[in-house]
């Protein structure tokens, strides 16, 4: 397993907390997606790369007691927390599976709704994961992907340390076979994977000083410090200077941060009856 395969951000407790926070933050977007193309009562759904919760709770609610939800993730630490939350919240129709999404043994053609959020941009074999997702969907079922595109990743006023740090992280992703501009490519990737009736939407968030995601870029750079230095993209000294200057800039009440665009794309697995929402 490569470093990127293991998920560059790791599974430290603070990273798990961040993912839960992020999941809550993006709940309205997920709700809108599910209202458009989500499974109905009694449906079977899978959240690929569910992390510590993903949208398992929302799927559980939608399919109800007669339905089934599978949460699939490659990292045991993610699933440990997911297991705790699933038990605490009494999500009795949720089953958790530890597996690489590209090599899952879940039965092919079984799911009405196959979903993944913020996973494809973080794996070097995103095409293999997407193909495996399509294989999991039943004919007529829906495959839905939510992922970002750094198109809008700017701060205002601009600052050279921001540009440098964003470029460093993007370069680390690139040399690990991943693409920070994946979002915009989702519709054609879904079509290329054989889905039909592909649709797309996108949304943007903007943060000011009091929001925890205002400092996400600099927090990430610090989380990736060892990988950035190992790959000789920067030195510890340079990174200290950059992150110091950037934290100072972000602390200014006038500085705003634009988050990457969250793309949502979904399509239908060919053949079979259309999903209930259609
Ligand atoms: C950024 S987190 C997103 C978690 C969740 N989808 C959410 O939106 O809150 C990415 C997740 O994908 C998982 N992951 C990465 N590669 C994977 C793979 N090949 N198979 C299954 N899960 C994978 C990671 O372990 C991590 O939990």
């Amino acid at each position: 397993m490569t470093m990127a395969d293991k998920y560059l951000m790791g599974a430290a407790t603070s990273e798990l907390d961040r993912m839960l926070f992020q999941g809550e933050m993006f709940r309205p977007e997920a709700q809108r997606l599910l209202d458009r193309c989500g499974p109905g009562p009694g449906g079977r759904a899978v959240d690929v790369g569910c992390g510590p919760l993903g949208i398992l709770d929302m799927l559980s609610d939608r399919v109800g007691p007669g339905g089934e939800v599978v949460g699939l993730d490659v990292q045991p630490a993610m699933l440990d927390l997911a297991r705790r939350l699933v038990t605490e919240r009494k999500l009795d129709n949720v089953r958790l599976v530890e597996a690489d999404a590209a090599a899952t043994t879940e039965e092919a053609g079984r799911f009405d709704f196959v979903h993944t959020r913020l996973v494809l941009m973080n794996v070097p074999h995103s095409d293999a994961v997407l193909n495996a997702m399509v294989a999991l969907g039943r004919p007529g079922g829906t495959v839905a992907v939510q992922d970002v595109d750094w198109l809008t990743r700017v701060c205002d006023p601009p600052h050279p340390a921001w540009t440098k740090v964003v470029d460093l992280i993007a370069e680390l992703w690139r040399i690990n076979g991943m693409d920070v501009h994946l979002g915009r490519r989702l519709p054609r990737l879904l079509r290329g994977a054989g889905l039909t009736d592909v649709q797309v939407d996108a949304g943007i968030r903007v943060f000011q000083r009091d929001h925890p995601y205002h400092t996400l870029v600099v927090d990430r750079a610090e989380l990736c410090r060892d990988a950035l230095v190992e790959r000789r993209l920067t030195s510890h000294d340079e990174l200290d200077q950059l992150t110091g200057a950037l934290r100072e800039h972000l602390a200014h009440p006038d500085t705003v941060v634009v988050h990457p665009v969250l793309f949502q794309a979904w399509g239908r697995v060919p053949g079979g009856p259309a999903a209930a929402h259609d």
Side-chain angles (χ1 to χ4, degrees), residues 1 4-11 15-16 18-20 22-24 26 47-55 72-76 78-79 97-103 115-120 122-125 129 146 220:
M1 203 181 247
D5 280 335
K6 279 192 278 177
Y7 181 53
L8 268 174
M9 293 297 164
E15 181 59 8
L16 294 180
R18 185 194 66 76
M19 270 185 220
L20 287 174
Q22 179 176 259
E24 254 339 286
F26 283 130
D47 192 12
V48 170
C50 61
L53 187 64
I55 63 163
L72 192 148
D73 204 284
V74 74
Q75 288 199 80
M78 300 288 177
L79 291 172
V97 175
E98 184 186 326
D100 183 326
H115 169 266
T116 195
R117 181 176 68 187
L118 302 170
V119 174
L120 296 188
N122 292 310
V123 295
H125 55 324
V129 173
Q146 303 189 69
R220 310 233 102 185

